[in-house]
Amino acid sequence: MRQPSFDRGARGPQGHNAGFQKATKQQKQVMMRLFAFVLKYYKFSILTVLACIVVSSITSLFSTLFTRTLIDDYITPLTQMDNPDYSSLWQTLFKLGLILLLGVIASYTYNRLMINVSQGTMLRLRKQIFERMEQLPISYFDSHSHGELMSVYTNDVDSLRQMISTAMAQVFSSVITIVATFTSMIVLSVPLTLVSMCIAAVMMVATTKLGSWSRGYFRTQQESLASVNGFIEEMMTGQKVVKVFCHEQQAISQFEGINEQLRSSAYNANKIASIVMPVNGNLGNLGYVLIAVVGASLALSGSWELSLGTIVAFLQLNKSFTQPISHVSQQINSVLNASVGAERVFALGDAEPEVDEGTRELTDPKGDVDFRHVDFGYVPEKQVLFDININTNPGQKIAFVGGTGAGKTTIINLINRFYDVKTGEVVYDGIPINDIRKQSLRKSMTIVLQETHLFTGTVLDNIRYGSLDATDEDCVKAAQLVGAHDFIRRLANGYQTMLQGDGGNLSQGERQLLAIARAAVANPPVLILDEATSSIDTRTEQLVQRGMDSIMRGRTTFVIAHRLCTVRNADQIIVLDHGRIAEHGTHEQLLALKGQYYQLYTGDTSLLK
């Protein structure tokens, strides 16, 4: 079930309090969902933990109640004897020691189990949200920064670990302790129990009130942390641009502003939450004094039969009764952090996966791609493409040219079904592509982007990424075809050279060559080149162009080009202008028109080389 989103617009104490009831309800749903997730996979472990907590609580309660017996049945009588016999006392204390040892073993066992439960839960959560992330459409990543998503995997998931391993066991233990202790308190003294309940009620009200004030700040803290991560990721990626334009100080100033937002929200959240423990601790001490005074008054007045041992035992029970409230309040930071973290984790896990209504498989694709009266916009209120009509034949080379924002990349996105057309249709081998399964469609084509991405692994692994079934010989042939073989041989370990940091130890041109080799080894009927030679020098480009011609032979090829000299041999050149087809034809036909293409081609003399 998809979790309702929180109102992220409210800021400050008033805004948080205004949405408190709604937030509380939603956070309860999120926490219940988290507990259900844990129980689904670790039911036996949780039951064992509960049993160990019961044993630990009972042994602790037994030692407290034994205080009454120790004073009234042993210490007081022995002090009145001339020749006291301590043998029975030692035997009783030995039995008590064995019982307490059992409690220690139970406590150790449930703490070890909770560590296993918390780590296992994190493992499963990360696995599930990663699987969901791989199913999300490209549009999701266009609207969410990489740093924000990374924050979910790291900070938000880790906040759940802290809560499950510590706070969850503490809550279980506190509930069991409160119930057992309350029962014993009633048996010992009803009046003193009423005093203790009043103090406990005040502590609960204080915890709830302070928690409501800090809850909204914890959400803001997690959001600010995601913003910091996103900004750092952006700056690391664009560090060369920052240095080229000498914007180091501006970047520092921006970071200081975002970092200050994180500090402020974290300060406000922890400032309030940190008050809870001292407040409850002092209220507990006040209750301790009140019970001692009331108990002594009742014992001296004779209105209620209370022995010295009973009063001392009740004072210990009162601490056992109020301490769980203090312990839970001590965990309020991790609980509130976890509730916000769980919300963000489940939000990623609940994100709508990429929809694929296609049912047909491409058994022998030819690469015949046509556009028929296609209109498209990324958002409803802004149309990007207008009545696009393109007719191709298998094996043709189709080039798209035009200014920035003309719609070239958008057309490529529609061919891959990264986005679906709004009106009209794109037809592949006579089949509307919406009827073709996306995986089948995308396997029949490959794309070389202007911005290359290489994965951590060997050079051979990165080439083989185009086709995991390709042999080493296939990968080497693909590298030779595109002119990458020579520079690969010059690397320290040749094809076994490890690449890290997106191929940071290679030049931009070398990285582009590997991306083209990756496309070559895929051997698809449709090839898409998004300015694939933009990062290659002129001499290397001539070498690559011969390899590219070999790759494109017999394949339908769509090329986005800014250097028009690379598309002169295209079968069709389509000139786009603000989402519309302004002109189309061969190189010679468009020059003869002396229209936009003519202006683009002749207006920049550098393109005439």
Side-chain angles (χ1 to χ4, degrees), residues 362-399:
L362 293 173
T363 55
D364 185 22
K366 302 294 189 300
D368 185 0
V369 181
D370 295 333
F371 280 67
R372 299 175 181 173
H373 303 289
V374 170
D375 292 338
F376 176 77
Y378 291 102
V379 292
E381 59 271 14
K382 185 177 181 180
Q383 190 169 337
V384 177
L385 297 179
F386 301 85
D387 194 29
I388 300 297
N389 289 279
I390 303 173
N391 295 314
T392 67
N393 293 317
Q396 283 190 331
K397 178 179 178 180
I398 314 298

Side-chain angles (χ1 to χ4, degrees), residues 70-91:
L70 181 66
I71 294 175
D72 292 345
D73 297 345
Y74 288 96
I75 295 178
T76 300
L78 287 173
T79 57
Q80 298 173 354
M81 294 180 182
D82 294 332
N83 296 308
D85 181 9
Y86 294 100
S87 58
S88 60
L89 175 61
W90 293 123
Q91 292 175 5

Side-chain angles (χ1 to χ4, degrees), residues 21 46 117 175-177 219 278 289 303 334 391 398 416 457 491 524 526 547 558 561 565 574 599:
Q21 292 182 345
I46 294 299
V117 169
V175 171
I176 294 172
T177 301
R219 184 179 301 109
V289 174
S303 58
S334 62
N391 295 314
I398 314 298
N416 283 278
L491 296 176
V526 176
F558 294 93
C565 61
I574 297 174
Q599 294 175 0

Side-chain angles (χ1 to χ4, degrees), residues 562-564 598-609:
H562 297 105
R563 289 188 282 189
L564 301 187
Y598 180 85
Q599 294 175 0
L600 289 171
Y601 189 79
T602 60
D604 188 349
T605 56
S606 65
L607 299 177
L608 297 175
K609 295 179 181 179

Side-chain angles (χ1 to χ4, degrees), residues 56-163:
S56 178
S57 298
I58 289 176
T59 56
S60 178
L61 179 63
F62 183 85
S63 65
T64 301
L65 292 174
F66 179 75
T67 305
R68 177 187 182 186
T69 303
L70 181 66
I71 294 175
D72 292 345
D73 297 345
Y74 288 96
I75 295 178
T76 300
L78 287 173
T79 57
Q80 298 173 354
M81 294 180 182
D82 294 332
N83 296 308
D85 181 9
Y86 294 100
S87 58
S88 60
L89 175 61
W90 293 123
Q91 292 175 5
T92 303
L93 291 176
F94 178 75
K95 294 177 181 178
L96 176 63
L98 292 178
I99 294 173
L100 293 177
L101 178 61
L102 177 62
V104 170
I105 295 173
S107 179
Y108 173 79
T109 301
Y110 82 69
N111 277 290
R112 284 293 302 270
L113 284 174
M114 287 308 298
I115 293 174
N116 180 63
V117 169
S118 64
Q119 293 298 335
T121 301
M122 299 307 98
L123 174 72
R124 294 179 183 274
L125 277 175
R126 288 193 182 99
K127 178 177 180 293
Q128 290 191 13
I129 62 177
F130 185 83
E131 289 176 351
R132 175 51 57 92
M133 186 183 73
E134 291 299 297
Q135 299 168 359
L136 296 176
I138 293 295
S139 57
Y140 185 89
F141 300 98
D142 289 342
S143 58
H144 293 78
S145 71
H146 296 171
E148 179 184 352
L149 295 176
M150 283 302 301
S151 184
V152 174
Y153 283 96
T154 53
N155 302 312
D156 295 325
V157 171
D158 191 65
S159 68
L160 301 187
R161 176 194 62 78
Q162 296 178 26
M163 192 276 295

